[in-house]
Amino acid sequence: METDRTLAHGTLLRLLRAEDAEPLARAYAQNREYLAPWEPVRPEEWYTEEGQEQAIRHSLEELFRGTALPLVLVQDGSIIGRATLSSVVRGAFQNAHLGYWIAEHAQNQGIMTQTIGVLVEIARDGLGLHRIEAATLPQNVPSQRVLEKNGFEFYGLAHKYIQIAGSWEDHRMHQRIL
């Protein structure tokens, strides 16, 4: 299954690698304040190379087990984001969760919209999935637009769904039937 793709503005979408620990730690540190309202509270170690080595090891184990597809976005040699299909369930469900982020300086360039389009294609044609779901905070309208542009539909509100920025937050639930 081919995952490497060149996207808008010369951005490369590719599989996460063990050697991404240092550049990924740098990307998280540079975007720490920007991402804080949208993510769980992270321990200080998360923003270090060692913390990312652990996280990458876990992601690559999930890739090996077939339960995740962890990807990074690389532009001009720097990591500018992540996109992951996780919690892949086979059998009668054939479903995955979609998660993603992009650096503040790379916003509003169409990169994430294109990235999600590629992930939809990979999920359908490469992984044979039936459905992808994604959750957004109600106030994250830009993320909802990215999903809508890729054929996701809103199907409900999950109350106190995920702990974000230290609080259990409601999330808008979206799905794409493939």
Side-chain angles (χ1 to χ4, degrees):
M1 170 180 52
E2 177 63 33
T3 56
D4 290 9
R5 304 283 176 90
T6 301
L7 309 173
H9 307 284
T11 304
L12 175 65
L13 176 68
R14 66 161 171 78
L15 277 174
L16 178 68
R17 301 175 185 155
E19 59 267 22
D20 289 331
E22 190 276 327
L24 195 52
R26 185 173 45 249
Y28 276 117
Q30 289 170 345
N31 289 279
R32 185 175 187 165
E33 287 182 37
Y34 172 70
L35 294 173
W38 315 110
E39 292 203 332
V41 174
R42 304 283 190 191
E44 285 302 314
E45 183 179 84
W46 180 258
Y47 302 96
T48 68
E49 184 174 352
E50 295 77 20
Q52 286 306 304
E53 284 173 354
Q54 285 182 324
I56 290 169
R57 237 185 337 271
H58 178 73
S59 291
L60 295 178
E61 287 169 4
E62 289 180 326
L63 172 66
F64 181 73
R65 286 193 307 267
T67 60
L69 182 65
L71 303 169
V72 291
L73 291 158
V74 181
Q75 191 178 73
D76 298 324
S78 296
I79 292 177
I80 63 163
R82 296 253 344 239
T84 302
L85 291 173
S86 63
S87 302
V88 175
V89 178
R90 295 300 186 168
F93 200 23
Q94 298 295 330
N95 184 76
H97 292 269
L98 171 64
Y100 52 92
W101 67 268
I102 193 162
E104 184 174 19
H105 77 274
Q107 293 285 315
N108 302 313
Q109 297 178 27
I111 297 167
M112 192 52 72
T113 298
Q114 195 175 9
T115 297
I116 301 309
V118 169
L119 272 172
V120 165
E121 179 185 316
I122 291 170
R124 181 189 60 229
D125 301 338
L127 299 175
L129 296 177
H130 167 69
R131 178 178 178 273
I132 303 173
E133 60 185 87
T136 67
L137 288 166
Q139 66 271 28
N140 194 346
V141 175
S143 188
Q144 293 159 25
R145 284 194 192 120
V146 166
L147 293 170
E148 289 167 4
K149 288 177 186 176
N150 281 288
F152 283 76
E153 60 185 4
F154 169 74
Y155 71 90
L157 187 69
H159 296 284
K160 309 264 186 241
Y161 184 62
I162 300 174
Q163 197 174 43
I164 299 293
S167 298
W168 288 100
E169 298 291 341
D170 296 347
H171 277 68
R172 288 175 52 94
M173 303 303 294
H174 306 266
Q175 68 179 359
R176 166 92 191 252
I177 304 299
L178 305 175

